[in-house]
Amino acid sequence: MKQNLTILLTGASGYLGSAWLEHPSKNVSKVVALMRGNSKDRLQRIKMPFGCVVEAWEGTIPSIDPRVLLFDVDIVLHFAAQTPDQTNDDVMKVNTKWTRRLGLACAQRGIKLLFPSTGSVYGGHGGELLTEDTSQ
């Protein structure tokens, strides 16, 4: 495996992203962390491995062109998402439209994209177990 990887981490201030930041692979030398506004202070509390640099970007996903985040990036960990308690428009902008733009930008540059999705991609079904075959 390649040494000195640069990772783009979206959702760095969220549940998955902040947990990942505490335990990155030893091959990671730089993390470009996309965080919600006013989250940089959280980085002060995270103990990164020796030699691992974190470059924090604050902003909201729909307002950032994903292509500007991909400079010199080896792998993208896309953990950012809007939860169902947001408006449907906000959920679509982040979870569908921006994710698609990010995926296309990664494909065009040959960058690997890891995208752990959530059940909210299926919409609200009142706690019913959902699969890819569940009717809409």
Side-chain angles (χ1 to χ4, degrees):
M1 174 178 253
K2 180 180 173 184
Q3 297 294 316
N4 300 319
L5 293 170
T6 297
I7 305 290
L8 168 61
L9 175 62
T10 69
S13 55
Y15 181 75
L16 286 177
S18 59
W20 185 89
L21 269 175
E22 294 183 16
H23 305 285
S25 165
K26 64 182 177 182
N27 298 336
V28 175
S29 61
K30 181 179 178 183
V31 178
V32 178
L34 182 56
M35 314 177 95
R36 284 187 293 265
N38 301 320
S39 297
K40 281 188 180 180
D41 63 323
R42 189 180 253 185
L43 285 178
Q44 304 299 329
R45 296 188 299 267
I46 295 174
K47 304 237 185 302
M48 295 299 293
F50 179 75
C52 188
V53 175
V54 177
E55 177 184 320
W57 284 57
E58 290 182 347
T60 58
I61 291 256
S63 67
I64 298 173
D65 184 340
R67 296 173 296 182
V68 303
L69 299 170
L70 296 177
F71 179 74
D72 204 27
V73 166
D74 299 297
I75 299 172
V76 174
L77 303 179
H78 181 38
F79 295 164
Q82 286 288 357
T83 56
D85 60 324
Q86 305 295 318
T87 67
N88 282 340
D89 188 47
D90 288 337
V91 171
M92 286 298 292
K93 281 180 188 173
V94 173
N95 297 4
T96 303
K97 295 176 183 176
W98 197 85
T99 297
R100 182 175 190 278
R101 290 173 55 208
L102 176 62
L104 289 171
C106 286
Q108 290 169 348
R109 289 161 181 77
I111 297 171
K112 293 178 183 177
L113 170 65
L114 174 66
F115 175 49
S117 185
T118 65
S120 65
V121 299
Y122 297 107
H125 284 273
E128 172 189 348
L129 178 63
L130 305 175
T131 70
E132 285 77 11
D133 300 321
T134 301
S135 63
Q136 296 268 341

